[in-house]
DNA sequence: CGACACCTTGAAGAGGTTCAAGAAATGTGG
DNA sequence: CCACATTTCTTGAACCTCTTCAAGGTGTCG
């Protein structure tokens, strides 16, 4: 059934190096050129394509630090001064905003190759929080440097714009979900989205390990954790997915997809 | 700027010129230099501050066209090729996405000085729709030109980034609203946000004219139009606002504000 | 092993939706 | 300018989905 050894079931971070490196900030210098962007297998996710050698060398100067973020600790939080964007190298994050009364709204889940911190540009300080849901590692990309490079390399500039626009489009989709879908439709959309993104990273199309709690899923989807739990049970009962705690196997993605394209009867 | 004489109850577009100009695309040339960005009273909303003369001249080359958009007609729609951003000069828009089953989710309402079209950058084609809720006029800013200028003028570059980031932050706020607030709290947040933005444009802090239907408000807030209507009636009954069709006067903004900071009892 | 976080499930309850009817405003064409 | 059709808004009543409250179960980590 679920085989943790296989890549097919793995999560982007399942092969996270568990080095016993004590520092969690790793300067990047000429000695370990190997971990430059130009050699990174996530480059196609973080950086523009079709660069020449010279431009690649420039790109390598964007990331000047890496930072390990232990499971459960904050990458940044509301009010922090904004200086850098963060490209996730390894791991999994949630980002969330908090209302004055303390309610926590998850605004997204981010995985390897995705960028965190875009919220900070507007006011030079972060307006949301990002927390690692498993031991993670991010590349720090000082925003000043990104802007400099964008001025020199048009494809870099376009890339930055696309990343931001993509986030706007993603949030439009969430608004549609929150504004019009029922509980089970929301969960179906959520699972399909997650598994698509994992698949784009080389993982299974049908199996995934949830890195977040039912409560966090609920917050993201505008539901209570009990409702999420019930929806999972319903899916399992109907044979749409197999649910074993946080291990999910999608059996009928076709039917899940139908749920979200044709809400209910109609 | 906006005629202060009718400021108090006016809407940004209440003094929209109703010229009988037959063409609705207006080329900009040296003959009507008066309507260049550098002379536009909305410049501080669309464009960066602190530019020198030379930079201002460059900025004036961004907007190469204006376009009138009649009430009820589309500025762009899902699938249209993306070429330009649109700065609203006069009027009021809604943007919305549509799901496969035809459900329409309003993703935002935009007024003079705000920018439309950011969704198109991600995939070079628009993923949402924008429709004028009253006779409007927009400035076309070809995105290639914006990128060129961003490379030359760092403050322009930063400005573009801030506009996009602001949109991301705004959408985070909507997610919080949709994910955790009750009907009346949502409407309170909506009204306060609208009146704040109008106030920033020189209008009243307490009076506004809604340009959209109850159904459109409901779509934006994830509610049915009946619920919106009932919430308005409740507010009126409780003396928080005066409601006369689409004319709204806010009587107790303090109490409205309380509603959204301390959802319910606590 | 015990404390704690997480998950599941049931039952009661609330908030919002749906359905329905009527009133008021808006627009259209003669 | 009026008559008529259409859109928009309000309000009531029944219904339904999700939430709330509660209890028990399972897994994890010190």
């Amino acid at each position: 059934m679920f085989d943790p050894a296989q890549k097919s079931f793995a999560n982007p971070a399942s092969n996270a190096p568990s080095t016993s490196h004590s520092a969690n900030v790793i300067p990047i210098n000429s000695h370990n050129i190997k971990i430059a962007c130009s050699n990174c297998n996530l480059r196609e996710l973080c950086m523009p394509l079709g660069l020449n050698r010279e431009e690649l060398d420039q790109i390598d100067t964007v990331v000047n630090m890496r930072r390990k973020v232990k499971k459960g600790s904050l990458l940044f939080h509301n009010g922090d001064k904004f200086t850098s964007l963060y490209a996730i190298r390894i791991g999994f994050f949630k980002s969330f905003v908090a209302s004055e009364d303390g309610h926590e709204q998850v605004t997204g889940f981010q995985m390897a190759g995705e960028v965190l911190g875009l919220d900070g540009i507007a006011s030079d300080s972060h307006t949301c929080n990002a927390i690692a849901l498993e031991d993670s590692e991010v590349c720090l990309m000082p925003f000043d440097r990104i802007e400099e490079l964008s001025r020199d390399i048009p494809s870099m500039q376009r890339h930055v714009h696309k990343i931001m626009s993509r986030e706007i489009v993603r949030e439009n989709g969430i608004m549609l979900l929150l504004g019009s879908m029922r509980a089970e439709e929301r969960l179906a959309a959520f699972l399909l989205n997650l598994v698509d993104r994992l698949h784009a990273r080389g993982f299974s199309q049908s199996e995934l390990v949830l890195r977040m709690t039912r409560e966090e899923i609920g917050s993201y989807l505008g539901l209570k954790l009990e409702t999420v739990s019930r929806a999972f049970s319903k899916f399992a009962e109907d044979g749409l997915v197999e649910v074993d705690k946080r291990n999910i196997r999608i059996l009928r993605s076709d039917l899940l997809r139908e749920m979200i394209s044709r809400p209910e009867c109609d």
Side-chain angles (χ1 to χ4, degrees), chain A residues 75-135:
Chain A
L75 175 58
F76 56 80
H77 99 309
N78 186 1
D80 284 358
K81 182 154 175 49
F82 167 74
T83 57
S84 297
L85 296 180
Y86 304 92
I88 303 175
R89 237 174 75 76
I90 296 162
F92 201 91
F93 287 81
K94 71 167 173 180
S95 42
F96 59 101
V97 291
S99 61
E100 301 179 33
D101 66 316
H103 173 85
E104 186 171 296
Q105 171 72 35
V106 172
T107 53
F109 296 107
Q110 290 81 21
M111 58 181 68
E114 297 180 331
V115 172
L116 280 163
L118 297 172
D119 64 290
I121 302 169
S123 57
D124 290 317
S125 67
H126 288 286
T127 57
C128 72
N129 312 274
I131 199 167
L133 294 185
E134 59 183 18
D135 291 354

Side-chain angles (χ1 to χ4, degrees), chain A residues 36-234:
Chain A
C37 293
S38 55
N39 278 324
C40 179
N41 54 23
L42 293 172
R43 192 185 76 222
E44 57 188 33
L45 295 171
C46 305
M47 293 293 172
L49 299 173
L51 299 178
N52 60 36
R53 187 64 245 170
E54 186 192 349
E55 289 168 338
L56 282 174
D57 288 345
Q58 285 186 276
I59 290 282
D60 283 341
T61 68
V62 174
V63 174
N64 67 348
M65 289 287 212
R66 295 240 180 96
R67 188 170 140 197
K68 287 188 190 293
V69 188
K70 276 245 161 287
K71 176 175 176 174
S73 61
L74 281 159
L75 175 58
F76 56 80
H77 99 309
N78 186 1
D80 284 358
K81 182 154 175 49
F82 167 74
T83 57
S84 297
L85 296 180
Y86 304 92
I88 303 175
R89 237 174 75 76
I90 296 162
F92 201 91
F93 287 81
K94 71 167 173 180
S95 42
F96 59 101
V97 291
S99 61
E100 301 179 33
D101 66 316
H103 173 85
E104 186 171 296
Q105 171 72 35
V106 172
T107 53
F109 296 107
Q110 290 81 21
M111 58 181 68
E114 297 180 331
V115 172
L116 280 163
L118 297 172
D119 64 290
I121 302 169
S123 57
D124 290 317
S125 67
H126 288 286
T127 57
C128 72
N129 312 274
I131 199 167
L133 294 185
E134 59 183 18
D135 291 354
S136 302
E137 196 177 317
V138 299
C139 301
L140 272 70
M141 310 186 291
F143 194 62
D144 290 347
R145 191 77 195 96
I146 289 178
E147 289 192 326
E148 268 176 47
L149 228 61
S150 289
R151 278 178 243 133
D152 288 349
I153 309 177
S155 68
M156 178 71 178
Q157 180 187 38
R158 178 53 64 105
H159 188 72
V160 171
H161 291 155
K162 280 193 194 271
I163 284 177
M164 299 189 75
S165 178
R166 223 181 283 148
E167 178 66 5
I168 291 170
V169 171
R170 181 187 75 84
E171 293 193 336
N172 280 344
I174 302 297
M175 288 177 67
L176 179 60
L177 179 147
L178 291 172
S180 70
M181 289 185 182
R182 306 273 234 331
E184 289 174 23
E185 294 160 7
R186 295 183 196 196
L187 188 63
F190 172 73
L191 289 176
L192 290 174
N193 173 274
L194 258 193
V195 86
D196 275 4
R197 284 153 68 201
L198 289 169
H199 187 226
R201 285 158 181 77
F203 299 106
S204 167
Q205 285 189 57
S206 58
E207 297 179 344
L208 68 156
V209 179
L210 301 174
R211 259 37 229 205
M212 69 296 282
T213 67
R214 303 288 194 255
E215 186 170 21
E216 288 162 337
I217 296 173
S219 171
Y220 185 56
L221 300 179
L223 302 168
K224 292 297 163 188
L225 69 96
E226 294 94 330
T227 308
V228 174
S229 180
R230 276 183 249 270
F232 270 125
S233 301
K234 181 68 163 33

Side-chain angles (χ1 to χ4, degrees), chain A residues 244-261:
Chain A
D244 174 24
K245 293 158 237 160
R246 295 195 181 176
N247 300 320
I248 308 293
R249 166 177 286 157
I250 294 175
L251 302 173
R252 299 296 305 272
S253 63
D254 55 334
L255 295 180
L256 290 177
R257 228 168 285 278
E258 249 179 53
M259 289 185 69
I260 56 181
S261 56

Side-chain angles (χ1 to χ4, degrees), chain A residues 5-56:
Chain A
Q6 305 259 321
K7 179 179 189 187
S8 67
F9 196 74
N11 175 282
S14 56
N15 33 15
S18 54
T19 67
S20 55
H21 207 301
S22 58
N24 44 355
V25 174
I26 311 158
I28 298 199
N29 52 45
S30 49
H31 299 103
N32 49 5
I33 187 77
K34 279 179 14 190
I35 53 173
C37 293
S38 55
N39 278 324
C40 179
N41 54 23
L42 293 172
R43 192 185 76 222
E44 57 188 33
L45 295 171
C46 305
M47 293 293 172
L49 299 173
L51 299 178
N52 60 36
R53 187 64 245 170
E54 186 192 349
E55 289 168 338
L56 282 174

